[in-house]
Amino acid sequence: MPRILLVEDDTISQAYFRAVLEALPAAVDTVATQACALARAESSRHDLWLIDLTLPDGSGIDLLRRLRARWPQSPPALAHTADADPAVRAPALHAGFREVLVKPLATAELAGAVRSALAEAGGLPDWDNAAAAVALNHDPANIQALRRLFLEELPGARDEVLRSARRGDAGALRARLHRLQAGCGLVGARRLGAAVELLRRTPESRTALERFDHAARDLLG
């Protein structure tokens, strides 16, 4: 299970973020200040840093710099803020945040951004057995049968996605990713599903396309 460091000083926002993140599922370490974030990062390895840009003892940008200085091989970082001003977003991206999320956040937006960041960092497992069990009524034989079918069809689906992306055919790419994402959810192909979601969000991104290709090839062995 991926572990996330959540830095947020508002108790209501803390509770909301924690509920969404734990439902992914993920383990969440919640702190309210720079000092506590540095101490918690010292004692635990995290797969993602989710940092408020305004903290009681400094800025989220300063915290990210301090974390990165201490841990050079750092996980991806997402910023969150209640300030929608573009002038706030640009310095955070320049400092190294992967994305700046503006509160209030819809559950799907928060979960999607976190899944994409974890997929990029390799912080998600290939198979989520618990999710597959829920989707397929806890029937192990059904899970295995559908996974076999999914893997048989995956090479063709992968080729279609790569061809559509390279041709710049946005409609065909979107349609194929939509079908593939539904299958990923049913069989619990968690890392591939996150890579599919990332590519749907950023179809022009070469990094997203490479992430999808790697996740598909890893599943195929």
Side-chain angles (χ1 to χ4, degrees):
M1 186 181 296
R3 179 169 291 276
I4 298 171
L5 177 63
L6 170 63
V7 189
E8 167 63 74
D9 63 311
D10 176 68
T11 54
I12 295 175
S13 295
Q14 274 187 8
Y16 172 70
F17 273 78
R18 191 179 189 94
V20 174
L21 297 173
E22 289 181 342
L24 291 176
V28 185
D29 292 331
T30 305
V31 297
T33 65
Q34 277 202 43
C36 290
L38 290 165
R40 183 59 63 90
E42 186 75 44
S43 61
S44 301
R45 190 191 76 79
H46 296 96
D47 299 292
L48 176 69
W49 294 329
L50 185 57
I51 300 174
D52 193 346
L53 288 180
T54 304
L55 297 167
D57 56 346
S59 73
I61 289 175
D62 180 51
L63 173 58
L64 179 62
R65 289 179 179 139
R66 295 176 69 184
L67 286 168
R68 285 185 152 187
R70 177 63 183 80
W71 292 275
Q73 292 186 325
S74 57
L78 297 174
H80 52 96
T81 177
D83 192 340
D85 188 341
V88 173
R89 182 175 182 271
L93 295 176
H94 182 71
F97 283 104
R98 185 180 183 275
E99 193 172 346
V100 179
L101 307 173
V102 179
K103 298 176 285 190
L105 280 162
T107 298
E109 183 183 1
L110 174 58
V114 170
R115 286 194 190 101
S116 295
L118 289 171
E120 183 174 324
L124 291 175
D126 284 335
W127 296 113
D128 184 342
N129 293 323
V134 170
L136 298 171
N137 201 29
H138 300 274
D139 184 339
N142 200 15
I143 293 170
Q144 293 307 314
L146 283 183
R147 280 184 177 172
R148 282 195 297 271
L149 180 60
F150 179 83
L151 291 173
E152 287 171 6
E153 296 180 349
L154 182 55
R158 170 182 167 269
D159 290 345
E160 286 182 41
V161 168
L162 296 178
R163 281 197 304 269
S164 299
R166 288 163 181 164
R167 287 199 311 265
D169 189 339
L173 177 63
R174 189 163 49 247
R176 194 64 190 86
L177 289 174
H178 178 76
R179 296 197 303 274
L180 185 56
Q181 190 165 39
C184 288
L186 278 175
V187 301
R190 180 186 259 185
R191 187 158 68 94
L192 179 60
V196 167
E197 185 170 341
L198 175 62
L199 187 55
R200 286 183 66 186
R201 287 158 53 94
T202 57
E204 73 290 345
S205 167
R206 182 176 180 82
T207 299
L209 186 62
E210 290 175 350
R211 184 67 57 181
F212 164 81
D213 191 25
H214 291 161
R217 285 192 284 111
D218 286 348
L219 272 186
L220 292 168

